[in-house]
Amino acid sequence: MEETLILFTFFINLLPLSVPAASLYPFGVEGGDQECIQRTVDFNSPLFKPEIGFPFGKSLRDVLYFTDNGQIIFPPTDNYVPSNPNPPPTGFSGQEDLPMVAAFWDDADFSQGVGTTWYQEYSTLSSTQDPLIHDVEAKIRKYMQTPYVAKWTLKVTWEKAPAYPSQQDDTRTSTYQAVLTTDGKHSFALLLYQDGGMLWDYTKLAAGNVLIGFSSGDGYAQNNELTQKPLADKYRPDQHSSAGTDVRGLWIYQLDSRSPVNYRLQCLVWLDTQPAPAAWNSQLLPCPCSQPQAELDPRYRWSRGAECGPLLGTSHEVGGKLRPRVSCEGYVPPTSAGAFGDPHITTLDGLTYTFNGLGDFVLLLASDAWTSFVLQGRTTPIGMAQATNFVAFAAQCISTTTTTVEWTLGSQGDIQVLLNSKPIQFSYSQDMGALVYYSPGVLLVNGSSITAIFDGAIAVSVSATSGILSVVCSLPNQYCNSTKGLLGVWDHNPADDFQMPNGTSIPVNSSEEEIYYYGMTWAVGEHSLFAQPLDSPVMNFKPTFLSQLRQENESQYQLAASRCHGSKECIYDVLSTGDMALGLATQSLAADFQQKKTALNAFPPVITGDTSLTAFRTERVMKQYHAVGVGARFVPHFSPELNISENGTLTWEPHGIAPFTISLEAVGSNNLSALLQLRFTLCSCSRSQECDYSNTIILGESSLQLAACRCEGGYLGPFCQDGDTTSHMMPAVAMAMCQVSVILRSLKVKAFQSITNITQTTDDDGFIFTVVSEFVYDSRGTVIQFLNEELPGAITGTFNQLQGEPGRNTPLSPLSPSPCTPWGSGNTYGGGRWVSVRHRPSLGRPGKASRGDAAAWPNLCSPSPVSVTELRGYFLCDLYGYKGYWLHYGATIGFICISPCKMGYCRHGSQCQHLPEGPTCSCLPFSIFSPVGIRCEQLAIGLAAFLGILLGALALLCLLPAAACLALRLCRRHQHRG
């Protein structure tokens, strides 16, 4: 019997060893990890922000961090990053305030130089070759029986973590690892424990409540099965295996309970499939620089609005990576040529001439490396006159496709359009606000004219006036030096515009007849683009030239010149047709063409300077901007926080975080303005080293964004303004602190921000926790009104509301007053610290306060009304190192800090300057006085004035005897004469 017992015991000890141990993933420098260590009792890691989010419970979490105490926490905001070293003795309930994964949650202490932590983040939205990720996926597929491909993974390793309190030669340490991974829909935690590396001496711990598991905070939680086992088991998870696994030291949990639709993942997957901008935007032309250019450039107005839209707006933070903001840098407006009236032609280089040929003519031949373009025009005689006008145009663009568009003057004076010899039907486009027709290679728009944009580059606009067709053809800069035809050789030199097909040219000052014969060389011949051939060619047609018309009737010429204001095109049309309306219409078309060409080539000023400005709290920031352009000047702007001068000096002195929208505007002598969008980033953290300018949030649609705060040294709060004085205390005290935090933070006024300075005293009823709570307030009243009227009522109402909650097993005691004292927070805008909360233990468990007990037995202090005198000592005016500010109280504004220089600190008209060491007076003499003293409060007579008075008095004393002698002598002389 004794041998059997010994053999049985031996078998039990060997059983765990027969199961292989799971190995930790490679970590440390060899594993490519980053080290995270602070030699303090408690510390947190940096924040991790998975782009796709992290599904946890029913929610998609945005941010997480790990602590030295074996926790991975998902905080509600970036600024609330607490660390509680003491786990609840009963494990997770699923309703915790902070969702977390507990890899090995207990009080660790790295302050003595022993142990460290490591981490590595893996973003695998696209494919990955990392063997670690492949192994994680394989474990999930094997043990969780579900297909899985990781999109984001975080590996955290606690290496040789010592228990609190630690010693410098501590060898009883623990090494373990947590791997959090998600595919954007499902998420998992892999917890691994080093075989033989979990060595904490649990017999010496203050409380053996180590916790392994997770809580989503929204009702989904799981505690490791070792939680209810003896200490020898739950502190040695490396020697145990979980259900469903065949190895020791590995637990896998699925963390999502109801997968929400992950739109972020969908967006990022789309983003990942998009080509790089260089793959598609290299051929896109820059956008116009002004609204007139945008309206007049047909490439933008009808075909590039979507691409150039961001020029006046903003690009999405994510989509902007692949759809970057389009700028007008390098924008060159298209160059236009046209033909009006009967017919008057303006070349691409701006040369104007009249050509009255009859038939089909080549107006333009243009080509580049990818396309070739042809524009032809057809003329007919005007009535009985020896002149012609255009009645049809045809254009053909050959690129990846061949597209031919034909415009023909209809019998009703309208324009008929054929696309590839077939009629088309326009339809209204809500986006463009016009009738449009789209076909591969061309966009046709029916507005005041009918415009065809070929391949988003060449535009041909045809309009009908007085039974005559006119044409405007616009070419981008890529066709420069690659054109010929009646619209000229485009090389910015009009001298060679009269170039014939054989390459020879005639001078630009040639006679009308010579120009006519030049034009006839560009007759189309056999290669016509028109669907219908010419009706019947008129043989031996020769127009009448302007010089002949003038010789025939000089008086008519002078009358036409007067009505046409000297326009030769108008004069010719009037004299050749006898129709004054036709001549004036030609003049109007030509003038409109030139005005649009001038507007298209007018540029607004170019503003240079930094578009991003950053400031720390109330720091004053100055930037200088420059506007390049004729007569360019900046539009001034003046406000309490932001000033812009006419010479481009910008001064920003933030007074708060109220959002504002501002653009830098410069205006040129042509009245065109340019805007520079500015982005202002303000850091309101308590210390400048805590500012994270790479992590910002835009306030609404404004120009202001706030930088995040990386709280250090145990500080908490949105701006790291709350000191964290949490110390290592017994679990009962820690739980009471947690519960007080829960209650006070639940106030509808959202007053309390941090709970600190918890002390414990004992009375006949049990024990009392005195809690200091920092608060801020959102009130229209003053600080005193908030303290005396709003805050006590809010706290009382919150605690009383808890009495009506279902599920409480113990009757609640009524609120009873206890003394409390306000603390000043130094927040001059209305904050402070106070509250004292009494907690009593439940019956039958003296000396212990559980989480529920703390909520069930509150006694709130009833503060007596506070006065200005009481509060004055708690509001400090030590503003960023500037001493000597005075605390001033106003009935409507509450407490504010004012420099003594604003309150007449320096006397007798002396100058006051507030330096870091305090206000300093510069005493200025006036009249005969020279002020002296710290505040120039004492008056003294100046040395020069004193000497002047003394010398004056001495001189007066010398003059008095002389005057007396003189008076006596005069008196005696008068008596002698008498």
Side-chain angles (χ1 to χ4, degrees), residues 752-767:
F752 289 101
Q753 289 193 325
S754 68
I755 314 298
T756 60
N757 289 18
I758 297 181
T759 58
Q760 176 187 350
T761 59
T762 305
D763 62 9
D764 295 337
D765 295 327
F767 50 82

Side-chain angles (χ1 to χ4, degrees), residues 347-432:
T347 68
L348 291 161
D349 286 336
L351 178 66
T352 300
Y353 67 98
T354 299
F355 170 66
N356 272 273
L358 181 62
D360 293 348
F361 297 93
V362 175
L363 295 178
L364 186 65
L365 295 173
S367 63
D368 63 8
W370 301 278
T371 61
S372 64
F373 177 78
V374 181
L375 176 63
Q376 297 177 357
R378 174 173 290 178
T379 63
T380 61
I382 303 177
M384 301 303 294
Q386 289 296 103
T388 61
N389 65 268
F390 284 111
V391 292
F393 295 101
Q396 185 180 77
C397 183
I398 302 175
S399 56
T400 55
T401 59
T402 299
T403 305
T404 304
V405 178
E406 185 176 346
W407 298 259
T408 305
L409 182 66
S411 57
Q412 303 299 319
D414 57 337
I415 301 176
Q416 305 294 324
V417 180
L418 296 178
L419 175 61
N420 296 326
S421 302
K422 296 180 181 179
I424 61 172
Q425 186 69 40
F426 289 98
S427 59
Y428 185 76
S429 168
Q430 193 73 32
D431 293 336
M432 296 185 179

Side-chain angles (χ1 to χ4, degrees), residues 35-237:
E35 187 176 18
C36 176
I37 188 63
Q38 298 177 31
R39 295 306 176 186
T40 56
V41 173
D42 286 317
F43 65 88
N44 297 338
S45 75
L47 296 178
F48 302 95
K49 298 182 178 181
E51 276 192 310
I52 63 173
F54 193 92
F56 197 6
K58 304 173 184 177
S59 304
L60 189 65
R61 299 293 176 177
D62 299 319
V63 62
L64 63 150
Y65 64 96
F66 65 86
T67 74
D68 64 320
N69 299 311
Q71 307 160 281
I72 300 178
I73 298 176
F74 297 77
T77 68
D78 294 3
N79 305 300
Y80 183 60
V81 287
S83 175
N84 187 352
N86 300 298
T90 57
F92 289 122
S93 66
Q95 301 298 328
E96 282 71 21
D97 298 320
L98 283 175
M100 75 171 70
V101 173
F104 192 74
W105 182 11
D106 206 343
D107 197 357
D109 179 9
F110 291 82
S111 65
Q112 300 302 312
V114 177
T116 189
T117 66
W118 305 91
Y119 68 90
Q120 186 170 172
E121 190 176 6
Y122 304 83
S123 181
T124 53
L125 192 63
S126 54
S127 61
T128 178
Q129 303 299 324
D130 195 299
L132 184 147
I133 303 301
H134 290 321
D135 188 77
V136 169
E137 295 169 341
K139 281 184 169 62
I140 292 173
R141 288 193 291 267
K142 177 180 180 181
Y143 296 121
M144 305 302 290
Q145 299 295 307
T146 182
Y148 180 73
V149 177
K151 302 295 185 184
W152 181 88
T153 303
L154 175 67
K155 178 189 67 178
V156 183
T157 307
W158 289 263
E159 181 184 12
K160 298 184 183 300
Y164 177 85
S166 175
Q167 306 295 326
Q168 291 185 354
D169 56 350
D170 204 333
T171 58
R172 301 296 297 271
T173 61
S174 291
T175 300
Y176 53 96
Q177 205 169 62
V179 178
L180 267 61
T181 181
T182 181
D183 61 2
K185 183 178 181 181
H186 301 293
S187 55
F188 300 91
L190 284 71
L191 308 182
L192 300 103
Y193 304 90
Q194 189 178 65
D195 185 26
M198 307 299 291
L199 302 175
W200 278 17
D201 187 354
Y202 48 83
T203 63
K204 296 181 179 179
L205 299 179
N209 294 326
V210 67
L211 183 57
I212 299 173
F214 67 87
S215 170
S216 67
D218 55 13
Y220 182 48
Q222 188 170 344
N223 295 298
N224 187 283
E225 54 265 34
L226 299 178
T227 301
Q228 304 302 324
K229 295 291 183 69
L231 297 181
D233 291 324
K234 63 182 181 179
Y235 276 89
R236 299 292 183 264

Side-chain angles (χ1 to χ4, degrees), residues 270-271 273-281 284 306-307 309-311 314-327:
W270 170 87
L271 191 68
T273 61
Q274 298 303 298
W280 56 266
N281 70 357
L284 290 180
E307 290 89 347
L311 182 62
T314 57
S315 56
H316 190 269
E317 181 180 358
V318 174
K321 297 176 182 178
L322 296 182
R323 298 293 185 269
R325 176 192 290 269
V326 184
S327 73

